[in-house]
Amino acid sequence: MNIAIGPNLSITDDYYLGKYATGEAVRLKLAYKNLLGGGEPGSGKSGLENVIIAQAALSVDVSLIGFDGKLVELMAWAEAMDVFVGPEMRKALHTLLWLQRVMDERYASLSARKVRKHVPSAAEPVYMAVLDELAYFTSVTGTKEERELFCTLLRDIVARGRAAGIVVLAFTQRASWDIVPTALRDLFAYRWTGRATTPGSSDVALGAGWAERGFNAMDLDPAKPGDSFLLAEGGMPRRMRVAWMSDEEIAQVASFAARLRGRAPVS
């Protein structure tokens, strides 16, 4: 994948994600939207994460916040992020509480100015929270009470955060009701899934009933990582192939983004 390197991108731009089966470029505007992604290991989930983060990291009006329970997928971008949360439930909860406060403060400011939507800028950026493995925080680590609080806070941020300039991208290997509660997953405008192991997992990612209508992620080609379905708000799933970045390209863009954001020395 070739990305224009330079401090000239914006969250209001259409981000390039890959190509549809028809050959058209897949371009999504992520400003004021949230995305839920699922898919078994090797299905292209990390490819989608990297291609989105690469463009967000080069957008001057985006502040990146990463949640990485495995300390694998997002580590390459850690220096370009304002907040990086590893396998630490308490830090994850503190970060969500902080985002909730930011959201409430922005709404108070918007209300006082009689403005309906936050306008992103370098001084007042969009906060993009990327959760690499949602299941770790909703079903594995911490106490039952902490996991429930995590789900409650995240649901509030996804539900109310868009107009306040808070975008959530949540990914999980196994999409199921216990990992992505219905009250949470129904709030995501964009749904993406790579290959799934069951029709149920496919439907959790895309929405109930799509597997029966022919959009079953079990049917995706396991020999083609990135072969996937994308459901945009109000539409029907479309088959696509996620753009791919090599480790070298990721390191190159991440290093540039860190320098751009003043987090790494200029060589």
Side-chain angles (χ1 to χ4, degrees), residues 15-16 22 31 44 64 104 115 130 147 154 176 185 203 240:
Y15 281 16
Y16 174 74
T22 56
L64 280 165
D104 290 339
V115 177
V130 183
R147 293 192 293 272
L154 184 61
S176 61
R185 68 174 181 264
D203 271 357
M240 64 168 287

Side-chain angles (χ1 to χ4, degrees), residues 159-263:
R160 296 195 297 127
R162 294 186 303 159
I166 299 175
V167 172
V168 176
L169 312 179
F171 297 89
T172 182
Q173 290 182 12
R174 185 172 66 86
S176 61
W177 68 268
D178 56 324
I179 289 172
V180 192
T182 304
L184 174 60
R185 68 174 181 264
D186 287 349
L187 297 172
F188 286 87
Y190 296 143
R191 309 283 194 90
W192 175 93
T193 183
R195 191 173 190 278
T197 54
T198 67
S201 291
S202 179
D203 271 357
V204 169
L206 291 178
W210 285 116
E212 286 186 1
R213 297 174 64 181
F215 302 98
N216 186 350
M218 277 188 70
D219 299 333
L220 295 170
D221 191 344
K224 295 180 179 179
D227 189 18
S228 53
F229 286 118
L230 174 68
L231 175 65
E233 193 172 37
M236 293 182 65
R238 294 186 65 182
R239 196 156 181 171
M240 64 168 287
R241 188 82 181 270
V242 174
W244 180 78
M245 296 177 67
S246 67
D247 289 345
E248 182 180 358
E249 288 175 319
I250 291 170
Q252 196 173 34
V253 176
S255 176
F256 181 85
R259 294 198 300 273
L260 179 66
R261 292 162 179 267
R263 310 242 168 73

Side-chain angles (χ1 to χ4, degrees), residues 84-161:
F84 183 83
V85 180
E88 309 161 78
M89 177 57 95
R90 288 190 177 182
K91 185 173 181 180
L93 292 174
H94 289 160
T95 302
L96 291 182
L97 285 165
W98 166 70
L99 274 176
Q100 192 180 55
R101 286 196 300 272
V102 169
M103 176 176 67
D104 290 339
E105 288 168 2
R106 282 187 170 178
Y107 277 127
S109 174
L110 290 172
S111 178
R113 292 182 286 119
K114 299 187 179 343
V115 177
R116 296 180 61 185
K117 189 163 61 175
H118 173 77
V119 178
S121 66
E124 291 288 339
V126 161
Y127 289 97
M128 180 180 286
V130 183
L131 295 93
D132 170 64
E133 188 45 70
L134 186 61
Y136 181 80
F137 296 101
T138 62
S139 64
V140 177
T141 192
T143 65
K144 180 176 182 291
E145 290 74 18
E146 286 173 331
R147 293 192 293 272
E148 289 176 350
L149 178 57
F150 182 92
C151 288
T152 299
L153 291 170
L154 184 61
R155 185 168 63 245
D156 183 38
I157 290 166
V158 174
R160 296 195 297 127

